[in-house]
Amino acid sequence: MIKIYHNNRCSKSRFGLKILENSGKEFEIIKYLENMLSAKALKDIITILKIKPIDLVRKNEVIWKENYKNKTLTDTEIINAMVENPKLIERPIIVNGNKAVIGRPPELILDII
């Protein structure tokens, strides 16, 4: 089943959700700010996305700028930062089996659904 890791306060995430709704396909909404992801779940998503953990970080977030910017962090430390501060996670993330995209721009979602 398709999953969308969603933040309703984000316009790109809302637009991504609309794309899924309009697709007519079944999907699951995961509100990752309310139901925090485990480090393992985040690692799995990063693996499917085929990116490095740092590429999933919202680097303009105040939390990142104040606590992590300009520090040398391991992948594990970056993942732990996102687990502890889920606002740092880029959104929306759409996972469909062994394919995934960050919906920025949201039209990328069409490539995997």
Side-chain angles (χ1 to χ4, degrees):
M1 173 175 297
I2 299 169
K3 295 180 182 178
I4 179 169
Y5 293 85
H6 177 62
N7 175 352
N8 199 48
R9 297 185 74 196
C10 171
S11 62
K12 299 273 192 253
S13 197
R14 289 192 307 271
F15 191 66
L17 182 60
K18 273 276 190 252
I19 289 172
L20 289 177
E21 289 170 346
N22 292 336
S23 76
K25 299 182 186 227
E26 286 188 36
F27 62 92
E28 176 184 0
I29 300 170
I30 299 166
K31 296 179 180 179
Y32 66 92
L33 293 177
E34 296 170 18
N35 302 306
M36 295 170 57
L37 298 172
S38 67
K40 183 191 179 322
L42 205 47
K43 284 179 196 174
D44 291 346
I45 291 167
I46 290 165
T47 299
I48 296 169
L49 283 166
K50 298 177 181 156
I51 62 174
K52 295 197 168 285
I54 192 66
D55 298 328
L56 193 58
V57 172
R58 295 175 51 83
K59 294 168 201 75
N60 286 326
E61 286 290 333
V62 172
I63 296 166
W64 182 262
K65 289 178 181 179
E66 290 179 354
N67 298 297
Y68 304 102
K69 187 178 179 181
N70 298 323
K71 291 185 179 178
T72 303
L73 302 170
T74 66
D75 286 350
T76 300
E77 290 170 327
I78 293 167
I79 289 168
N80 288 339
M82 287 187 282
V83 168
E84 293 168 16
N85 305 284
K87 280 185 169 186
L88 293 176
I89 301 171
E90 271 293 0
R91 69 239 180 195
I93 302 167
I94 293 73
V95 178
N96 187 3
N98 63 354
K99 298 181 282 184
V101 294
I102 299 169
R104 291 187 167 267
E107 293 79 12
L108 290 175
I109 297 166
L110 296 170
D111 295 341
I112 68 161
I113 58 171

